[in-house]
Amino acid sequence: MDIPYSAEPRPDTGLTNATLGIWLFLASEVMLFAGLFSAYILLRVGADAWPHHLLPVGPATLNTALLITSSMTMTLSWAALREGQVARHRQLLLATIVLGTVFLVIKALEYRAHIAAGELPSHDTFFALYYTLTGIHALHLVGGLVVMLYLLGPGARLMETRREQFVHRIEATGLYWHFVDFVWVLLFPLLYLL
């Protein structure tokens, strides 16, 4: 059975199906990360002696700036598309992809340094949680980048036939990307500053 796409807001929520769907998905993601954050906090508070490790604050600060900037370029990409500025939309979406990719490269270099120092997940509770939290976040980032690459490439054909549906896909992708960025804004002080 094929459910037809509808761009009309639902009378019960005032949201389109795409927007409602992404918000429901993000609610499940909030539960996932809330569980992970809770585990970190409970283990840290309940530990007799919490291992104190100095993580590289400089690269993490740069990564924070990269993701905040990528949220801005994602929003501007969506706005440009809504205004019919397709070339600008594509440039800004590509900028978002580049910023997210640079974030992942910096994170990979950080992982490499920890691994070379013998700081693996088995090293202690802190590194087990560090790799779990940042690793799951990085996987979410990769997922967002894959969707953006698709929408920049073969998925962009939808813009020619069903423009409004394509705009909603960009909007949903943007909401997901903002969520992933927000998770990092919480992870950064929790792991690197406290």
Side-chain angles (χ1 to χ4, degrees):
M1 182 170 120
D2 187 27
I3 300 173
Y5 176 77
S6 171
E8 297 300 316
R10 297 171 50 92
D12 54 348
T13 63
L15 301 172
T16 64
N17 285 341
T19 305
L20 179 61
I22 193 66
W23 279 113
L24 290 173
F25 173 72
L26 291 177
S28 72
E29 292 294 291
V30 165
M31 289 186 273
L32 168 68
F33 279 101
L36 292 170
F37 281 109
S38 297
Y40 177 87
I41 291 166
L42 289 172
L43 286 169
R44 184 166 181 176
V45 169
D48 292 332
W50 185 253
H52 185 69
H53 300 285
L54 294 178
L55 296 177
V57 175
T61 303
L62 175 60
N63 267 348
T64 303
L66 288 169
L67 284 188
I68 290 171
T69 304
S70 76
S71 270
M72 181 185 68
T73 57
M74 186 71 215
T75 300
L76 292 173
S77 172
W78 172 71
L81 183 61
R82 286 190 51 157
E83 294 172 5
Q85 301 173 1
V86 176
R88 179 124 174 92
H89 148 72
R90 291 179 64 79
Q91 291 169 346
L92 289 163
L93 189 59
L94 182 59
T96 306
I97 292 166
V98 168
L99 290 165
T101 302
V102 172
F103 175 96
L104 288 174
V105 168
I106 292 170
K107 180 52 66 187
L109 293 172
E110 183 180 323
Y111 281 164
R112 191 174 85 182
H114 288 304
I115 291 167
E119 298 167 334
L120 301 168
S122 59
H123 186 270
D124 59 28
T125 304
F126 174 81
F127 276 108
L129 290 166
Y130 163 79
Y131 281 107
T132 301
L133 288 166
T134 60
I136 290 175
H137 175 262
L139 287 174
H140 280 75
L141 213 96
V142 169
L145 291 173
V146 167
V147 170
M148 283 186 258
L149 284 167
Y150 172 76
L151 293 173
L152 193 62
R157 284 180 283 193
L158 184 64
M159 189 171 19
E160 299 164 9
T161 58
R162 300 171 101 181
R163 187 175 185 289
E164 193 168 352
Q165 187 175 358
F166 183 76
V167 171
H168 285 139
R169 285 185 178 183
I170 294 293
E171 179 184 17
T173 304
L175 289 170
Y176 173 82
W177 193 252
H178 298 321
F179 171 77
V180 172
D181 294 354
F182 178 71
V183 168
W184 178 256
V185 168
L186 296 176
L187 281 175
F188 172 59
L190 190 68
L191 295 174
Y192 292 84
L193 302 178
L194 298 177

